[in-house]
Amino acid sequence: MPLIAAVLLASCGSDDSSDEPKPATYSAYQTKVYEYTPAPGQFINDGYSLSTAEDAAAYALGQLKMKSYVSLGAWGGYIVVGFDHSITNTGGYEIGIQGNAFAGSNEPGIVWVMRDDNGNGLPDDTWYQLRGSETGKEGTIENYSVTYYRPSSSGQPVRWTDNQGHEGEIAYLGAYHSQPYYYPNWITADSYTLNGTRLEARNYQVEGSQIWMNPAYDWGYADNIGSDDLTGTIPSAGTGQITGFKISNAMLPDGTPANLPSIDFVKIQTGVLAQSGQIGELSTEILSVIDLSLL
């Protein structure tokens, strides 16, 4: 069976007869950004000025509507999006996330989903991480956290500490991105802490050159070309590398299946804490989030 047919069949079939059909007026793409909280990074504050969390969410939604990238910054930075309908668990690829990955440049984002259990239309229920190829492997750290600190003056790196007793910096690359701060302008506190799962870094410098490589992870991550890459199979989705995600991969904290019949919100979070020399920090970039059944 051609890949596009297989993808569409997997996306459109539903074994949950209680879910009502989606009218044609529903959008296949995210319709709201509830939160945009990136980690510091070279693309943060770059070409835009934001002063509140509401401004940041509006900026991110505008970017996604244009399928123009939103950078999540270094490890832990995240975005929370929602749709104008629930997305049904079909057992196949229900969610597509567009990134800007290409061969040798993968910046994996971990994906979380939430069901609107209390029915208030807000992402204030329980997040479930989607299983990926690195889940449970040595080198993957669950319950990881990093605190980022505002630089004391412009043009300085951003210092960080983690809950494993380590510390480091997000480098300032003034030759390429010369905004005064890589620390998000709309975060008024002098430090903030991000929590989630950290993947083991795979980036490396090619011996005898200035070239850095960010190899792909096998599957389960946004902005990453794995076996779940759907790029080119959904022409109406436009440009951008697309990764497919299955709601059936949602996990409880102990790793067992969450068995969600549907979801309402998606969170994408940068999964690696690493620098690639002059290229800078690994930072997941997102162009859009898609309900594949409506394409």
XYZ file of all heavy atoms in Angstrom, residues 68-160:
717
model
N 5.820 29.308 10.043
C 7.154 29.873 10.245
C 7.628 29.397 11.613
O 6.840 29.321 12.556
C 7.098 31.395 10.199
O 8.372 31.963 10.342
N 8.899 29.075 11.745
C 9.342 28.344 12.919
C 9.197 29.121 14.229
O 9.317 30.343 14.281
C 10.793 27.880 12.741
C 11.829 28.965 12.936
C 12.331 29.246 14.200
C 12.327 29.699 11.857
C 13.280 30.225 14.397
C 13.271 30.681 12.038
C 13.740 30.948 13.314
O 14.669 31.929 13.503
N 8.923 28.380 15.276
C 8.986 28.856 16.650
C 10.088 28.060 17.336
O 10.025 26.828 17.390
C 7.649 28.648 17.384
C 7.777 29.024 18.850
C 6.538 29.459 16.719
N 11.104 28.733 17.835
C 12.204 28.047 18.509
C 11.867 27.849 19.979
O 11.381 28.770 20.652
C 13.498 28.860 18.382
O 14.549 28.218 19.094
N 12.138 26.653 20.491
C 11.898 26.343 21.900
C 13.138 26.548 22.750
O 13.116 26.293 23.952
C 11.379 24.912 22.042
C 10.130 24.587 21.214
C 9.641 23.179 21.524
C 9.024 25.603 21.442
N 14.234 27.017 22.140
C 15.450 27.266 22.894
C 16.109 25.974 23.354
O 15.837 24.891 22.834
N 16.971 26.092 24.338
C 17.741 24.952 24.842
C 16.831 23.979 25.594
O 15.601 24.103 25.565
C 18.870 25.453 25.734
N 17.468 23.002 26.303
C 16.679 21.946 26.941
C 15.545 22.519 27.793
O 15.724 23.489 28.540
C 17.546 21.052 27.835
C 16.703 19.960 28.415
C 16.439 18.750 27.855
C 15.932 20.027 29.623
N 15.543 18.052 28.645
C 15.217 18.820 29.729
C 15.760 21.002 30.614
C 14.365 18.540 30.791
C 14.900 20.733 31.670
C 14.232 19.508 31.755
N 14.387 21.880 27.684
C 13.253 22.183 28.554
C 12.295 23.221 28.032
O 11.159 23.298 28.511
N 12.726 24.043 27.067
C 11.818 25.037 26.509
C 10.626 24.366 25.861
O 10.767 23.314 25.238
N 9.440 24.961 25.980
C 8.244 24.263 25.506
C 7.184 25.214 24.970
O 7.203 26.423 25.219
C 7.654 23.398 26.619
C 7.092 24.161 27.811
C 5.756 24.551 27.846
C 7.899 24.467 28.906
C 5.247 25.238 28.932
C 7.395 25.146 29.997
C 6.066 25.533 30.016
O 5.568 26.224 31.094
N 6.237 24.605 24.244
C 5.052 25.292 23.745
C 3.861 24.379 23.975
O 3.981 23.147 23.859
C 5.211 25.660 22.254
C 4.065 26.562 21.785
C 5.316 24.415 21.376
C 4.295 27.149 20.401
N 2.711 24.959 24.332
C 1.473 24.212 24.553
C 0.431 24.719 23.568
O 0.134 25.919 23.542
C 0.956 24.383 25.992
C -0.393 23.682 26.166
C 1.969 23.861 27.002
N -0.101 23.824 22.746
C -1.099 24.201 21.744
C -2.382 23.406 21.941
O -2.387 22.337 22.570
C -0.580 23.994 20.299
C 0.768 24.667 20.106
C -0.480 22.513 19.951
N -3.471 23.942 21.384
C -4.747 23.246 21.422
C -5.456 23.357 20.093
O -5.048 24.116 19.204
N -6.526 22.603 19.948
C -7.308 22.543 18.720
C -8.743 22.981 19.006
O -9.128 23.163 20.161
C -7.286 21.128 18.151
C -5.934 20.672 17.699
C -4.992 20.222 18.625
C -5.581 20.700 16.363
C -3.730 19.806 18.216
C -4.328 20.291 15.945
C -3.398 19.843 16.876
N -9.545 23.119 17.949
C -10.956 23.445 18.138
C -11.812 22.182 18.236
O -13.034 22.241 18.109
C -11.465 24.357 17.016
C -11.255 23.778 15.629
O -10.842 22.603 15.513
O -11.493 24.509 14.636
N -11.173 21.047 18.499
C -11.860 19.771 18.633
C -10.922 18.793 19.322
O -9.722 19.056 19.449
C -12.251 19.224 17.255
C -11.058 18.964 16.368
N -10.423 19.969 15.661
C -10.360 17.822 16.114
C -9.400 19.454 14.996
N -9.335 18.148 15.262
N -11.443 17.672 19.762
C -10.610 16.608 20.317
C -10.059 15.756 19.182
O -10.691 15.602 18.137
C -11.437 15.719 21.262
O -11.917 16.461 22.364
N -8.866 15.191 19.400
C -8.251 14.293 18.423
C -8.401 12.864 18.951
O -7.974 12.546 20.055
C -6.775 14.632 18.192
C -6.629 16.068 17.694
C -6.146 13.651 17.197
C -5.192 16.515 17.494
N -9.021 12.004 18.148
C -9.353 10.644 18.567
C -8.163 9.700 18.431
O -7.400 9.775 17.467
C -10.520 10.112 17.717
O -11.643 10.988 17.869
C -10.916 8.711 18.131
N -8.023 8.816 19.396
C -7.017 7.751 19.354
C -7.492 6.672 18.385
O -8.482 5.982 18.646
C -6.831 7.180 20.758
C -5.800 6.071 20.819
O -5.316 5.584 19.790
N -5.456 5.656 22.030
N -6.785 6.529 17.269
C -7.138 5.517 16.268
C -6.180 4.333 16.286
O -6.405 3.337 15.606
C -7.103 6.121 14.859
O -5.737 6.450 14.528
C -7.957 7.368 14.765
N -5.072 4.463 17.016
C -4.044 3.440 17.003
C -2.969 3.708 15.959
O -1.915 3.069 15.953
N -3.229 4.661 15.059
C -2.248 5.031 14.042
C -1.650 6.390 14.344
O -1.702 6.876 15.474
N -1.080 7.013 13.317
C -0.543 8.360 13.481
C -1.697 9.357 13.436
O -2.286 9.590 12.384
C 0.460 8.675 12.381
C 1.753 7.896 12.454
C 2.235 7.218 11.344
C 2.496 7.854 13.621
C 3.422 6.505 11.401
C 3.683 7.147 13.702
C 4.143 6.475 12.580
O 5.316 5.775 12.643
N -2.013 9.965 14.561
C -3.083 10.956 14.621
C -2.563 12.389 14.606
O -3.259 13.298 14.172
C -3.921 10.780 15.887
C -4.594 9.421 16.020
C -3.769 8.457 16.869
O -2.675 8.870 17.325
O -4.207 7.317 17.051
N -1.351 12.591 15.116
C -0.797 13.935 15.265
C 0.439 14.070 14.387
O 1.301 13.188 14.381
C -0.412 14.212 16.733
C -1.615 14.029 17.655
C 0.173 15.617 16.894
C -1.247 13.948 19.122
N 0.523 15.153 13.657
C 1.726 15.476 12.898
C 2.340 16.745 13.450
O 1.622 17.697 13.770
N 3.643 16.760 13.598
C 4.342 17.967 14.060
C 5.390 18.320 13.027
O 6.263 17.504 12.700
C 4.977 17.762 15.448
C 3.875 17.463 16.483
C 5.767 19.009 15.861
C 4.399 17.198 17.883
N 5.296 19.534 12.508
C 6.236 20.019 11.507
C 7.419 20.686 12.192
O 7.256 21.536 13.066
C 5.567 21.013 10.564
C 4.529 20.381 9.649
C 3.923 21.382 8.688
O 3.196 22.261 9.118
N 4.217 21.263 7.419
N 8.618 20.266 11.800
C 9.850 20.874 12.282
C 10.705 21.303 11.107
O 10.229 21.372 9.967
N 11.963 21.590 11.365
C 12.877 21.964 10.275
C 14.106 21.060 10.248
O 15.189 21.479 9.849
C 13.270 23.442 10.364
C 14.031 23.794 11.635
O 14.222 22.941 12.505
N 14.454 25.036 11.760
N 13.931 19.805 10.660
C 15.042 18.852 10.644
C 15.442 18.509 9.215
O 14.611 18.529 8.298
C 14.658 17.580 11.390
N 16.710 18.200 9.041
C 17.216 17.664 7.779
C 18.391 16.767 8.109
O 18.816 16.689 9.272
C 17.582 18.766 6.788
C 18.563 19.785 7.314
C 19.933 19.612 7.158
C 18.117 20.931 7.964
C 20.838 20.550 7.634
C 19.016 21.880 8.442
C 20.372 21.685 8.275
N 18.904 16.060 7.119
C 19.971 15.089 7.360
C 21.138 15.745 8.099
O 21.676 16.758 7.658
C 20.446 14.500 6.048
N 21.516 15.181 9.224
C 22.620 15.707 10.009
C 22.239 16.842 10.926
O 23.088 17.355 11.658
N 20.962 17.245 10.922
C 20.513 18.330 11.796
C 19.170 17.960 12.412
O 18.106 18.308 11.881
C 20.394 19.649 11.025
O 19.968 20.699 11.886
N 19.232 17.235 13.514
C 18.043 16.808 14.240
C 18.122 17.363 15.662
O 19.140 17.209 16.341
C 17.959 15.281 14.289
C 17.854 14.669 12.914
O 16.775 14.471 12.380
N 19.007 14.364 12.302
N 17.047 18.015 16.104
C 17.018 18.635 17.422
C 15.748 18.157 18.134
O 14.745 18.865 18.164
C 17.061 20.153 17.291
C 18.343 20.625 16.591
C 18.355 22.114 16.316
O 17.564 22.565 15.459
O 19.145 22.829 16.949
N 15.777 16.957 18.685
C 14.558 16.262 19.093
C 13.774 16.955 20.192
O 14.329 17.387 21.206
C 15.068 14.899 19.555
C 16.494 15.148 19.947
C 16.988 16.171 18.987
N 12.469 17.043 19.959
C 11.551 17.558 20.954
C 10.681 16.431 21.497
O 10.133 15.630 20.738
N 10.577 16.343 22.798
C 9.715 15.350 23.448
C 8.281 15.865 23.428
O 8.028 17.061 23.628
C 10.195 15.074 24.880
C 11.572 14.395 24.827
C 9.211 14.213 25.655
C 12.243 14.235 26.161
N 7.334 14.965 23.162
C 5.931 15.352 23.004
C 5.104 14.800 24.161
O 5.266 13.650 24.563
C 5.381 14.854 21.650
C 3.911 15.227 21.490
C 6.206 15.435 20.499
N 4.225 15.667 24.670
C 3.295 15.317 25.744
C 1.884 15.614 25.255
O 1.678 16.515 24.440
C 3.567 16.143 26.993
C 4.977 16.117 27.504
C 6.083 16.701 26.921
C 5.458 15.494 28.697
N 7.204 16.480 27.679
C 6.850 15.748 28.777
C 4.832 14.767 29.705
C 7.629 15.281 29.828
C 5.601 14.308 30.763
C 6.996 14.560 30.817
N 0.901 14.870 25.741
C -0.487 15.117 25.373
C -1.341 15.182 26.634
O -0.976 14.644 27.684
C -1.032 14.028 24.421
C -0.314 14.065 23.083
C -0.937 12.643 25.055
N -2.480 15.871 26.504
C -3.398 16.029 27.637
C -4.831 15.930 27.136
O -5.164 16.417 26.056
C -3.179 17.384 28.319
C -4.123 17.659 29.492
S -3.939 19.324 30.186
C -2.336 19.183 30.997
N -5.659 15.323 27.939
C -7.091 15.241 27.685
C -7.792 16.258 28.592
O -7.404 16.429 29.756
C -7.560 13.821 27.987
C -9.022 13.533 27.735
C -9.261 12.047 27.935
N -10.671 11.737 28.118
C -11.533 11.525 27.130
N -11.107 11.595 25.872
N -12.792 11.241 27.389
N -8.796 16.946 28.084
C -9.520 17.952 28.860
C -10.522 17.263 29.776
O -11.735 17.342 29.588
C -10.213 18.943 27.918
C -10.814 20.131 28.662
O -10.500 20.309 29.859
O -11.607 20.867 28.043
N -10.008 16.600 30.806
C -10.863 15.794 31.678
C -11.895 16.629 32.429
O -13.024 16.180 32.646
C -10.004 15.021 32.691
C -9.220 13.896 32.035
O -9.774 13.226 31.147
O -8.047 13.692 32.403
N -11.525 17.844 32.842
C -12.478 18.646 33.614
C -13.370 19.514 32.730
O -14.263 20.216 33.228
C -11.757 19.509 34.664
C -10.796 20.507 34.040
O -10.872 20.811 32.851
N -9.878 21.032 34.851
N -13.134 19.477 31.409
C -14.021 20.139 30.469
C -14.019 21.646 30.489
O -14.939 22.276 29.953
N -12.957 22.260 31.050
C -12.953 23.725 31.114
C -12.212 24.387 29.956
O -12.071 25.615 29.915
C -12.369 24.207 32.447
C -10.876 23.906 32.588
O -10.276 23.245 31.734
N -10.282 24.368 33.680
N -11.728 23.573 28.994
C -11.072 24.136 27.823
C -9.668 24.638 28.059
O -9.096 25.299 27.180
N -9.078 24.300 29.202
C -7.726 24.755 29.535
C -6.815 23.557 29.783
O -7.259 22.524 30.292
C -7.751 25.637 30.784
C -8.553 26.934 30.682
C -8.607 27.630 32.037
C -7.957 27.864 29.634
N -5.525 23.684 29.467
C -4.574 22.578 29.685
C -4.118 22.500 31.141
O -2.951 22.733 31.461
C -3.421 22.918 28.740
C -3.451 24.407 28.665
C -4.900 24.807 28.746
N -5.073 22.200 32.038
C -4.764 22.159 33.465
C -5.087 20.798 34.081
O -5.340 20.698 35.280
C -5.501 23.274 34.209
C -7.015 23.222 34.024
O -7.504 22.293 33.336
O -7.712 24.113 34.546
N -5.091 19.754 33.238
C -5.298 18.397 33.730
C -3.954 17.668 33.788
O -2.979 18.242 34.232
C -6.324 17.681 32.844
C -7.723 18.295 32.994
O -8.349 18.085 34.040
O -8.160 18.998 32.068
N -3.864 16.442 33.321
C -2.648 15.638 33.454
C -1.927 15.513 32.112
O -2.538 15.143 31.107
C -2.988 14.226 33.973
O -3.654 14.343 35.234
C -1.723 13.393 34.141
N -0.620 15.781 32.128
C 0.204 15.567 30.935
C 0.696 14.124 30.907
O 1.104 13.582 31.937
C 1.418 16.498 30.927
C 1.114 17.919 30.585
C 1.219 19.012 31.398
C 0.672 18.418 29.315
N 0.866 20.142 30.722
C 0.526 19.808 29.434
C 0.373 17.820 28.085
C 0.099 20.618 28.384
C -0.055 18.614 27.036
C -0.186 19.987 27.181
N 0.671 13.537 29.698
C 1.188 12.190 29.485
C 2.274 12.267 28.414
O 2.037 12.742 27.304
C 0.077 11.251 29.012
C -1.046 11.107 30.004
C -2.168 11.932 29.923
C -0.992 10.146 31.019
C -3.205 11.812 30.835
C -2.030 10.017 31.936
C -3.131 10.859 31.841
O -4.157 10.743 32.745
N 3.455 11.808 28.758
C 4.553 11.791 27.786
C 4.308 10.698 26.758
O 3.855 9.599 27.097
C 5.870 11.551 28.517
C 7.096 11.612 27.634
C 8.378 11.423 28.442
O 8.454 11.726 29.611
N 9.395 10.906 27.784
N 4.606 11.000 25.483
C 4.535 9.986 24.451
C 5.841 9.199 24.415
O 6.930 9.773 24.379
C 4.272 10.614 23.078
C 2.932 11.316 22.876
C 2.763 11.709 21.410
C 1.767 10.447 23.326
N 5.717 7.897 24.425
C 6.884 7.022 24.376
C 7.679 7.278 23.091
O 7.117 7.500 22.021
C 6.448 5.558 24.425
C 7.576 4.547 24.387
C 7.027 3.131 24.457
N 6.298 2.913 25.696
C 6.872 2.613 26.866
N 8.198 2.514 26.937
N 6.132 2.417 27.938
N 9.004 7.251 23.211
C 9.895 7.346 22.063
C 10.949 6.259 22.130
O 10.985 5.468 23.087
N 11.818 6.239 21.157
C 12.825 5.176 21.092
C 13.795 5.204 22.266
O 14.411 4.180 22.590
C 13.606 5.281 19.779
O 14.249 6.544 19.670
N 13.939 6.361 22.920
C 14.905 6.475 24.019
C 14.269 6.259 25.390
O 14.975 6.306 26.408
C 15.576 7.847 23.978
C 16.181 8.204 22.627
C 17.033 7.086 22.055
O 18.069 6.766 22.672
O 16.665 6.529 21.000
N 12.971 6.038 25.428
C 12.285 5.832 26.711
C 12.849 4.613 27.434
O 12.942 3.526 26.867
C 10.777 5.636 26.495
O 10.247 6.795 25.853
C 10.063 5.419 27.812
N 13.264 4.809 28.681
C 13.767 3.704 29.492
C 15.208 3.321 29.237
O 15.744 2.436 29.914
N 15.855 3.980 28.275
C 17.249 3.630 27.973
C 18.214 4.297 28.948
O 17.939 5.372 29.489
C 17.605 4.051 26.549
C 17.012 3.184 25.461
C 17.564 3.581 24.097
C 17.042 2.681 22.993
N 17.582 3.065 21.662
N 19.358 3.656 29.114
C 20.432 4.273 29.889
C 20.845 5.560 29.188
O 21.037 5.598 27.975
C 21.619 3.318 29.993
C 22.742 3.837 30.866
C 23.889 2.851 30.991
O 23.777 1.742 30.423
O 24.885 3.189 31.644
N 20.958 6.621 29.939
C 21.295 7.916 29.357
C 20.104 8.847 29.263
O 20.275 10.062 29.135
N 18.884 8.295 29.315
C 17.680 9.122 29.358
C 17.358 9.407 30.819
O 17.311 8.497 31.645
C 16.498 8.408 28.693
O 16.801 8.185 27.313
C 15.225 9.234 28.801
N 17.164 10.673 31.151
C 16.929 11.080 32.536
C 15.500 11.585 32.681
O 15.127 12.616 32.104
C 17.907 12.188 32.975
C 19.360 11.782 32.714
C 17.697 12.525 34.447
C 20.363 12.890 32.979
N 14.685 10.853 33.428
C 13.339 11.316 33.777
C 13.433 12.254 34.986
O 14.412 12.250 35.729
C 12.445 10.119 34.112
C 12.353 9.060 33.018
C 11.483 9.470 31.854
O 10.756 10.493 31.971
O 11.508 8.765 30.830
N 12.406 13.062 35.164
C 12.346 13.986 36.305
C 13.590 14.878 36.377
O 14.159 15.101 37.444
C 12.171 13.214 37.613
C 10.917 12.369 37.618
O 9.845 12.832 37.254
N 11.044 11.099 37.996
N 13.985 15.351 35.218
C 15.152 16.232 35.111
C 14.681 17.683 35.219
O 13.550 18.015 34.830
C 15.839 15.994 33.777
C 17.130 16.741 33.569
C 18.254 16.443 34.326
C 17.226 17.735 32.601
C 19.453 17.122 34.129
C 18.413 18.414 32.392
C 19.524 18.104 33.159
O 20.714 18.774 32.959
N 15.515 18.548 35.728
C 15.187 19.974 35.776
C 16.433 20.816 35.610
O 17.538 20.409 36.003
C 14.464 20.336 37.080
O 15.323 20.195 38.191
N 16.252 21.974 34.993
C 17.333 22.933 34.778
C 16.835 24.317 35.179
O 15.699 24.702 34.844
C 17.791 22.964 33.307
C 18.748 24.132 33.050
C 18.473 21.658 32.928
N 17.661 25.063 35.878
C 17.375 26.456 36.208
C 18.279 27.351 35.379
O 19.501 27.140 35.344
C 17.594 26.723 37.705
O 16.714 25.886 38.469
C 17.311 28.183 38.045
N 17.674 28.318 34.699
C 18.412 29.285 33.884
C 18.431 30.636 34.595
O 17.433 31.043 35.200
C 17.745 29.429 32.513
C 17.803 28.167 31.672
C 16.710 27.310 31.598
C 18.963 27.835 30.973
C 16.764 26.144 30.836
C 19.023 26.667 30.216
C 17.920 25.832 30.154
O 17.981 24.678 29.401
N 19.574 31.341 34.473
C 19.773 32.589 35.208
C 19.975 33.750 34.245
O 20.756 33.656 33.291
C 20.990 32.466 36.136
C 20.868 31.335 37.129
C 21.318 30.050 36.802
C 20.289 31.528 38.376
C 21.190 28.997 37.695
C 20.158 30.482 39.282
C 20.617 29.220 38.931
O 20.489 28.180 39.817
N 19.289 34.847 34.527
C 19.412 36.034 33.681
C 20.845 36.557 33.701
O 21.438 36.720 34.778
C 18.464 37.124 34.185
C 18.447 38.373 33.293
C 17.706 39.517 33.962
N 16.368 39.143 34.351
C 15.335 39.114 33.534
N 15.498 39.444 32.261
N 14.141 38.771 33.975
N 21.428 36.852 32.530
C 22.785 37.430 32.517
C 22.797 38.796 33.196
O 21.800 39.524 33.178
C 23.101 37.556 31.022
C 22.180 36.599 30.347
C 20.936 36.585 31.172
N 23.926 39.133 33.762
C 24.039 40.411 34.471
C 24.157 41.590 33.516
O 23.914 42.737 33.908
C 25.254 40.379 35.413
O 26.445 40.110 34.677
N 24.529 41.325 32.271
C 24.627 42.405 31.282
C 24.410 41.818 29.895
O 24.454 40.597 29.700
C 25.997 43.098 31.356
O 27.038 42.175 31.109
N 24.157 42.675 28.929
C 23.878 42.217 27.573
C 25.118 41.582 26.951
O 26.252 41.880 27.332
C 23.397 43.380 26.710
O 24.402 44.359 26.581
N 24.883 40.698 25.993
C 25.979 40.053 25.276
C 26.689 38.970 26.061
O 27.786 38.541 25.672
N 26.072 38.488 27.137
C 26.693 37.474 27.980
C 25.984 36.122 27.812
O 24.802 36.063 27.477
C 26.627 37.901 29.448
C 27.377 39.176 29.751
C 28.863 39.045 29.454
O 29.510 38.089 29.904
N 29.400 39.991 28.708
N 26.689 35.008 28.042
C 26.034 33.693 28.012
C 25.035 33.567 29.149
O 25.062 34.349 30.106
C 27.204 32.715 28.176
C 28.256 33.501 28.878
C 28.130 34.914 28.378
N 24.161 32.580 29.035
C 23.172 32.311 30.080
C 23.650 31.118 30.897
O 23.849 30.026 30.363
C 21.786 32.006 29.470
C 20.800 31.660 30.582
C 21.292 33.186 28.648
N 23.825 31.333 32.184
C 24.280 30.261 33.071
C 23.107 29.359 33.437
O 21.967 29.816 33.566
C 24.897 30.855 34.347
C 25.548 29.811 35.271
C 26.273 30.496 36.421
N 25.358 31.074 37.390
C 24.870 30.431 38.450
N 25.227 29.169 38.676
N 24.064 31.038 39.287
N 23.391 28.060 33.601
C 22.364 27.132 34.056
C 22.934 26.166 35.096
O 24.132 25.906 35.122
C 21.745 26.342 32.899
C 22.700 25.487 32.085
C 23.278 25.827 30.900
C 23.171 24.163 32.392
N 24.085 24.805 30.444
C 24.023 23.767 31.335
C 22.946 23.276 33.438
C 24.670 22.527 31.319
C 23.581 22.035 33.425
C 24.423 21.673 32.365
